[in-house]
Amino acid sequence: MTPADFLNNLISRYPVLKFNQQGISNAFDLLKTCYENNNKLLIAGNGGSFADAQHITGELMKNFCVKRKLNSSLINNLTAIDPVIGKDLADTLEQPLTAIPLGSFGALDTAYLNDTGTKIFAQNLLGLGRSGDILLAISTSGNSKNIIEAVITAKAMNLKVIALTGKTGGKLAALADILINVQEIETYKIQELHLPVYHCICLMLENYFFA
């Protein structure tokens, strides 16, 4: 299957996402370029969307549906250092597409929350983000204050922003480089559509880089 096949399959299973087909395709293209340039994805979300951020990280940092064999240079380096352990590592480790869920640093985040309030995503981004990286901002309303703060910080640092939201897009609609606003207004219904959207994007990326 090609990346386009995965997207067409998504639309056939979830016709309501036809509205978002171009946005999903654009998000894939942006992420493809990001990873081709050895950059990374940073993801911000609250509550269920934080769980989505961790879920996306899991699909990108190891195999999703395709085995991702290490490149021969790394395999040779591993086995040269230790023929036994190195071979085991070479046989089991998989090529990642680097993704980091913001808000996953307990000591840093709780200290920062205690000191300054809501801006942990912005602070995480400031420490981890580099020009050429991408921020995926997930907010069902599109108006989450700490997500908006992270997006503004990202744009100031020359990061591109993909927003995954509900129908209106909220404040993120005007800030994002790419908006994927699924056409629901109730939080749980929005989240039900977010999952197949990001699964599709992860499948498209994995297919492109590893199939």
Side-chain angles (χ1 to χ4, degrees):
M1 292 178 69
T2 67
D5 292 330
F6 286 108
L7 182 52
N8 290 334
N9 182 264
L10 173 72
I11 303 306
S12 70
R13 291 182 295 119
Y14 297 90
V16 67
L17 293 175
K18 177 69 176 176
F19 180 85
N20 305 110
Q21 186 168 3
Q22 190 60 55
I24 295 169
S25 179
N26 291 344
F28 163 71
D29 287 337
L30 192 65
L31 285 161
K32 175 171 66 73
T33 301
C34 168
Y35 284 125
E36 286 175 333
N37 292 329
N38 294 314
N39 291 112
K40 61 185 176 293
L41 174 65
L42 303 162
I43 316 168
N46 295 297
S49 297
F50 178 72
D52 286 331
Q54 294 186 316
H55 189 163
I56 294 165
T57 301
E59 310 298 22
L60 292 176
M61 289 283 284
K62 56 174 282 297
N63 77 297
F64 185 10
C65 292
V66 174
K67 181 69 176 174
R68 306 178 185 181
K69 188 174 178 62
L70 301 184
N71 63 58
S72 58
S73 176
L74 182 54
I75 291 173
N76 291 337
N77 289 344
L78 288 166
T79 54
I81 294 167
D82 189 298
V84 176
I85 297 174
K87 184 179 186 306
D88 181 52
L89 288 168
D91 289 342
T92 54
L93 292 178
E94 301 185 29
Q95 291 275 36
L97 294 170
T98 304
I100 301 172
L102 302 181
S104 298
F105 306 93
L108 167 65
D109 297 338
T110 54
Y112 197 77
L113 281 169
N114 185 58
D115 292 342
T116 63
T118 65
K119 301 174 182 62
I120 57 167
F121 291 149
Q123 183 64 38
N124 280 190
L125 188 85
L126 191 62
L128 296 168
R130 298 294 181 268
S131 178
D133 292 344
I134 293 173
L135 173 65
L136 174 58
I138 310 174
S139 171
T140 57
S141 68
N143 294 316
S144 301
K145 185 174 186 289
N146 56 357
I147 302 294
I148 299 296
E149 291 165 346
V151 167
I152 291 171
T153 304
K155 294 184 78 68
M157 295 172 64
N158 198 34
L159 276 68
K160 296 293 187 182
V161 176
I162 300 169
L164 185 56
T165 73
K167 186 173 184 177
T168 71
K171 293 179 181 178
L172 286 179
L175 291 169
D177 297 286
I178 295 172
L179 175 66
I180 303 173
N181 54 329
V182 301
Q183 297 296 285
E184 293 287 354
I185 57 173
E186 293 182 81
T187 297
Y188 77 94
K189 292 180 181 179
I190 296 168
Q191 291 172 332
E192 286 174 355
L193 291 177
H194 280 182
L195 188 147
V197 167
Y198 65 69
H199 264 176
C200 182
I201 293 172
C202 290
L203 286 166
M204 293 166 76
L205 289 166
E206 183 175 67
N207 176 268
Y208 177 83
F209 285 102
F210 303 110

